[in-house]
């Protein structure tokens, strides 16, 4: 193709109105602003997907997916940093309560954690399940199977989730937590950078970019990543704010809007990217991108919140974790552990995906039927269900746990060919089976 495909030009054109409005500071009605900035985010999400696919020509597929996941979560970073910065300013002004005495509404410090927990639970409860459902609809496959190399993000996600299980029992999120979580992210980034380059299957705009010469191809990929990142940073916050403003006109609580409406806006790019991958039956890349996004959010995002809070509050006391937020953190960590347990065999079945989305929706049903004073008990009960199911699943797939951690943390990428299978055999025992991509000529 000598000219870029029309779909690529349309995606770039969709980002222009949002950028113009953001830079010009035009005051639009909230519903109109949501459409303008939402269109910009959608356009940038498609550009991200094509750039990440084309990048696999020059770098490893694992590193390309990791970079894609990092850029795709930039909206969540920007929105959550705004709430954290406001919380730090409130702490500097009013003290550890982050709110004026007798003030109404949710303390500013709680909103930062509310946005983060909501985004993490949407990513797993909706994102992972939607990818499996799209793949099932397109191919009738009752699940998505990952390769052994996908044990890498899963292993680091396990480390991060086990550490984050401690956070609900703390009073503050401190710079010590930053050091540990950022160290996990750095180790993960170094690990995926060692993955060898593969043979990408490129179509549409990504095929056009991948067909360019070496220098223009790399320049175009970097340019597309940069443009997408700038668009997302410019559009994500006003998009979320316009949704919040629209909801406030309907009398919806601020906490509810920050925890669920704003993350839906900021999570749109990565969900759209993963959905596009799944629709094109690149199911491994789709789920792998979401697992990488979860690693990013559960390590770098959570780890950098205390830094933003320390700068804005001009102190080192740490981001306060109020009693109401401890239940939210516990539920988020418990959901992560169940998701990891379901993926221990590197296969996420349709039944497991339905379980994730079903449990995610249960919290809204309980919140609607139970009185507000029962909210803490509701979170504790749901966390217990998640942890119980996670423990049962780990016991059933216990033969897969150590191989997954070994492959994810230690095994060389050159030895990670093939797929890892864990299946339940007669008598409840577990069997570990590795299917090689290339078999011997004898067929053995």
């Amino acid at each position: 193709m000598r000219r870029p495909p029309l779909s690529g030009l349309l995606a770039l054109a969709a980002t222009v109105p949002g950028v113009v409005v953001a830079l010009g500071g035009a005051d639009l009605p909230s519903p109109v602003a949501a459409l303008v900035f939402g269109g910009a985010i959608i356009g940038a999400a498609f550009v991200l997907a094509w750039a990440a696919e084309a990048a696999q020509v020059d770098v490893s597929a694992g590193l390309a997916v990791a970079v894609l996941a990092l850029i795709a979560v930039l909206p969540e970073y920007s929105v959550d940093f705004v709430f954290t910065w406001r919380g730090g300013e409130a702490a500097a002004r009013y003290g550890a309560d982050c709110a004026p005495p007798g003030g109404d509404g949710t303390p500013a410090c709680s909103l930062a954690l509310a946005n983060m927990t909501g985004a993490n639970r949407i990513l797993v409860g909706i994102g992972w399940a939607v990818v499996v459902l799209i793949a099932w609809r397109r191919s009738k496959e009752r699940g998505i199977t990952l390769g052994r190399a996908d044990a890498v993000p899963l292993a680091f996600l396990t480390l991060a989730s086990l550490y984050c299980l401690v956070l609900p029992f703390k009073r503050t999120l401190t710079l010590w937590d930053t050091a540990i979580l950022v160290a996990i992210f750095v180790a993960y980034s170094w690990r995926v950078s060692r993955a060898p380059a593969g043979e990408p299957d490129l179509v549409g705009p990504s095929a056009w970019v991948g067909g360019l010469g070496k220098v223009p191809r790399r320049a175009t990929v970097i340019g597309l990543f940069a443009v997408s990142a700038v668009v997302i940073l410019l559009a994500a916050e006003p998009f979320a704010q316009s949704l919040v403003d629209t909801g406030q006109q309907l009398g919806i609580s601020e906490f509810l809007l920050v925890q669920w409406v704003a993350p839906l806006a900021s999570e749109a790019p990565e969900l759209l990217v993963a959905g596009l991958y799944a629709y094109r039956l690149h199911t491994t890349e789709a789920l792998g991108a979401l697992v990488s996004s979860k690693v990013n959010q559960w390590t770098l995002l959570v780890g950098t919140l205390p830094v933003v809070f320390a700068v804005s509050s001009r102190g080192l006391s740490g981001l306060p974790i109020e009693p109401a937020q401890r239940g939210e953190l516990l539920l988020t960590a418990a959901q992560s552990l169940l998701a990891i347990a379901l993926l221990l065999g590197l296969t996420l079945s349709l039944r497991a995906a339905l379980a994730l989305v079903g449990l995610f929706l249960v919290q809204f049903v309980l919140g609607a039927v139970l009185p507000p004073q029962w909210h803490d008990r509701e979170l504790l009960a749901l966390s217990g269900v998640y942890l119980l199911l996670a423990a049962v699943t780990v016991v059933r797939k216990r033969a897969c746990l150590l191989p997954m951690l070994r492959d994810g943390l230690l095994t060389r990428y050159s030895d990670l060919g093939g797929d890892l299978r864990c299946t339940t055999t007669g008598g409840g025992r577990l069997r570990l089976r590795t299917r090689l991509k290339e078999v011997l000529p004898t067929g053995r």
Side-chain angles (χ1 to χ4, degrees), residues 373-406:
Q373 59 268 28
W374 284 32
H375 183 64
D376 292 341
R377 303 178 196 177
E378 166 202 332
L379 295 177
L380 185 61
L382 277 177
S383 300
V385 172
Y386 272 113
L387 292 174
L388 177 61
L389 291 176
V392 172
T393 305
V394 169
V395 170
R396 290 185 65 250
K397 297 185 177 183
R398 60 187 178 275
C400 303
L401 179 58
L402 290 180
M404 182 274 291
L405 292 175
R406 182 178 62 248

Side-chain angles (χ1 to χ4, degrees), residues 3 7 10 16 52 65 79 119 135 151 174 183 209 227 259 268 271 299 326 351-352 388 403 433:
R3 298 179 179 178
S7 56
L10 290 176
V16 174
V65 170
V79 172
T174 66
V209 176
V227 168
Q259 187 172 37
L271 297 181
T299 56
R326 291 172 190 165
R351 180 182 300 178
L388 177 61
R433 177 164 57 91

Side-chain angles (χ1 to χ4, degrees), residues 45-56 61 64-65 68-69 131 134-135 138 144 202 206 225 270-290:
F46 280 99
V47 173
L48 272 176
W50 295 324
E53 288 180 337
Q56 295 181 37
V65 170
L68 167 64
V131 164
I134 291 176
R138 291 278 291 160
I144 294 178
L202 306 180
S206 59
F225 272 130
E270 53 195 314
L271 297 181
L272 287 169
V273 167
L276 176 63
Y277 272 40
Y279 185 80
R280 292 175 50 189
L281 297 182
H282 293 183
T283 54
T284 298
E285 292 87 347
L287 187 56
L290 291 183

